[in-house]
């Protein structure tokens, strides 16, 4: 017969406090094998020690209780390991995000060099584009799907882009965390392109811009926007029109995200 122990002794065996064990009992995550009818004292089997150790480690990895229940209820080792691998993959993504934010915060705490701003008048030009309302959260995945589609469409008709990839971002995108984004690739005038339903040919209007270069990953884009927008506020008249970004050096060309180079083009009131 397998030995049983009191809840206090089980706490000592598992490094889980009595309060935690009572809570796990309440949520049906780790239930005692017996409860004294008179006193209500809980007793645990020593066979449950390994299960308690697993729960403790999974909680240390911030796995939600419903997912832990699914792991414990897995009918076989393969099902259990699949659930564990899925959680570890999510944790690795979150760890990378945390590292990026920490690196960005360190940069924020160090003095930055004054921003270099140039002025540029860009004439109107046609572009193959995908224009949609996009949330800030979904932007990365949307761009990752959009630019290959744009270039595949041009390649299918043997048309070479006439400039670098770019995008425009509406005022609503910044104000509401969702708004119109136009990802584009410049094309020759009057190009004969078979355009898929989700794409269109648009005309980017002629504008004068204050331009600054952002080097590095997306996490620090706000610093470039803040510095360039502040410069424009002090020296120019900003137009309430979409900001353009021109991807001079981007993910399709390099493996190192810290080497990305984007020209941020702030529309101003003089052509």
């Amino acid at each position: 017969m397998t030995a049983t122990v009191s809840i206090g002794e089980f706490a000592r065996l598992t490094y889980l406090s009595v309060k935690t064990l009572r809570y796990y009992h309440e949520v049906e995550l780790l239930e005692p094998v017996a409860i004294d009818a008179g006193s209500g004292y809980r007793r645990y089997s020593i066979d449950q020690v390994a299960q308690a150790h697993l729960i403790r480690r999974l909680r240390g990895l911030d796995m939600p209780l419903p997912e832990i229940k699914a792991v414990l209820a897995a009918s076989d080792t393969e099902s259990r390991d699949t659930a564990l691998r899925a959680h570890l993959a999510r944790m690795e993504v979150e760890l990378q995000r945390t590292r990026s934010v920490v690196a960005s915060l360190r940069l924020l705490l160090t003095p930055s060099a004054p921003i270099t701003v140039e002025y540029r008048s860009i004439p109107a030009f046609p572009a193959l584009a995908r224009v949609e309302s996009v949330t800030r959260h979904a932007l990365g995945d949307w761009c990752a799907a959009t630019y290959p589609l744009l270039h595949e469409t041009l390649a299918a008709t043997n048309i070479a882009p006439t400039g670098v990839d770019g995008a425009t971002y509406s005022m609503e995108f910044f104000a509401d965390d969702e708004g119109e984004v136009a990802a584009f690739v410049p094309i020759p005038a009057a190009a004969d392109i078979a355009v898929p339903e989700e794409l269109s040919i648009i005309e980017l209007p002629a504008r004068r811009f204050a331009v600054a270069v952002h080097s590095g990953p997306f996490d620090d884009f706000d610093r470039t926007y803040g510095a360039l927008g502040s410069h424009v506020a002090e020296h120019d008249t900003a137009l309430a029109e979409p900001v353009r970004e021109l991807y001079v050096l981007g993910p399709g060309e390099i493996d190192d995200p810290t080497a990305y180079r984007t020209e941020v083009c702030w529309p101003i009131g003089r052509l």
Side-chain angles (χ1 to χ4, degrees), residues 115-133:
I115 192 168
T116 300
V117 179
E118 68 167 282
Y119 291 91
R120 189 183 306 166
S121 293
I122 300 179
F125 62 90
L128 180 65
R130 183 179 182 185
V131 184
E132 290 183 359
S133 180

Side-chain angles (χ1 to χ4, degrees), residues 116-165:
T116 300
V117 179
E118 68 167 282
Y119 291 91
R120 189 183 306 166
S121 293
I122 300 179
F125 62 90
L128 180 65
R130 183 179 182 185
V131 184
E132 290 183 359
S133 180
V134 183
T135 65
R136 193 186 297 266
H137 175 74
L139 181 64
D141 290 339
W142 185 84
C143 288
T146 295
Y147 287 104
L149 176 61
L150 292 170
H151 284 280
E152 288 165 7
T153 300
L154 292 181
T157 49
N158 294 315
I159 293 177
T162 57
V164 299
D165 296 355

Side-chain angles (χ1 to χ4, degrees), residues 49-133:
V49 170
Q51 189 178 51
H53 288 167
L54 177 60
I55 292 171
R56 182 170 176 270
R57 281 159 176 76
L58 295 179
R59 287 301 292 155
L61 293 176
D62 293 326
M63 179 178 278
L65 293 182
E67 293 187 24
I68 295 178
K69 284 185 179 182
V71 169
L72 298 179
S75 58
D76 54 66
T77 301
E78 183 178 352
S79 299
R80 182 202 66 186
D81 290 350
T82 297
L84 289 175
R85 280 193 292 268
H87 183 71
L88 289 174
R90 289 192 295 272
M91 286 202 65
E92 287 173 353
V93 171
E94 181 63 22
L95 179 60
Q96 183 58 48
R97 188 194 70 82
T98 300
R99 285 173 174 162
S100 296
V101 173
V102 168
S104 180
L105 183 58
R106 290 188 188 280
L107 285 175
L108 195 62
L109 295 174
T110 58
S112 57
I115 192 168
T116 300
V117 179
E118 68 167 282
Y119 291 91
R120 189 183 306 166
S121 293
I122 300 179
F125 62 90
L128 180 65
R130 183 179 182 185
V131 184
E132 290 183 359
S133 180

Side-chain angles (χ1 to χ4, degrees), residues 14-265:
T14 61
Y15 271 54
L16 294 172
S17 70
V18 168
K19 180 180 179 181
T20 298
L21 289 170
R22 286 173 177 160
Y23 173 66
Y24 288 168
H25 180 196
E26 290 173 6
V27 299
E28 301 179 346
L29 180 63
L30 182 61
E31 301 182 63
V33 294
I35 301 176
D36 186 89
S39 64
Y41 290 161
R42 299 168 174 87
R43 294 193 69 82
Y44 292 81
S45 166
I46 59 173
D47 287 342
Q48 294 177 284
V49 170
Q51 189 178 51
H53 288 167
L54 177 60
I55 292 171
R56 182 170 176 270
R57 281 159 176 76
L58 295 179
R59 287 301 292 155
L61 293 176
D62 293 326
M63 179 178 278
L65 293 182
E67 293 187 24
I68 295 178
K69 284 185 179 182
V71 169
L72 298 179
S75 58
D76 54 66
T77 301
E78 183 178 352
S79 299
R80 182 202 66 186
D81 290 350
T82 297
L84 289 175
R85 280 193 292 268
H87 183 71
L88 289 174
R90 289 192 295 272
M91 286 202 65
E92 287 173 353
V93 171
E94 181 63 22
L95 179 60
Q96 183 58 48
R97 188 194 70 82
T98 300
R99 285 173 174 162
S100 296
V101 173
V102 168
S104 180
L105 183 58
R106 290 188 188 280
L107 285 175
L108 195 62
L109 295 174
T110 58
S112 57
I115 192 168
T116 300
V117 179
E118 68 167 282
Y119 291 91
R120 189 183 306 166
S121 293
I122 300 179
F125 62 90
L128 180 65
R130 183 179 182 185
V131 184
E132 290 183 359
S133 180
V134 183
T135 65
R136 193 186 297 266
H137 175 74
L139 181 64
D141 290 339
W142 185 84
C143 288
T146 295
Y147 287 104
L149 176 61
L150 292 170
H151 284 280
E152 288 165 7
T153 300
L154 292 181
T157 49
N158 294 315
I159 293 177
T162 57
V164 299
D165 296 355
T168 67
Y169 297 89
S170 64
M171 294 286 287
E172 291 77 15
F173 177 81
F174 300 102
D176 304 327
D177 277 340
E178 179 175 1
E180 185 176 275
V181 178
F184 65 82
V185 178
I187 58 174
D192 186 13
I193 302 173
V195 181
E197 183 179 352
E198 61 268 44
L199 305 183
S200 60
I201 294 177
I202 64 173
E203 182 86 3
L204 277 296
R207 286 290 179 269
R208 182 166 173 78
F209 295 99
V211 182
V213 174
H214 173 81
S215 298
F218 177 79
D219 289 328
D220 296 318
F221 248 111
D222 58 343
R223 298 185 74 187
T224 302
Y225 265 69
L228 178 57
S230 297
H231 175 92
V232 169
E234 288 184 350
H235 302 286
D236 301 288
T237 300
L239 299 180
E241 294 186 1
V243 170
R244 290 187 199 176
E245 291 180 2
L246 303 178
Y247 306 121
V248 180
L249 190 63
E253 301 163 272
I254 52 177
D255 295 325
D256 180 8
T258 63
Y260 292 177
R261 285 174 57 84
T262 299
E263 291 182 340
V264 180
C265 306

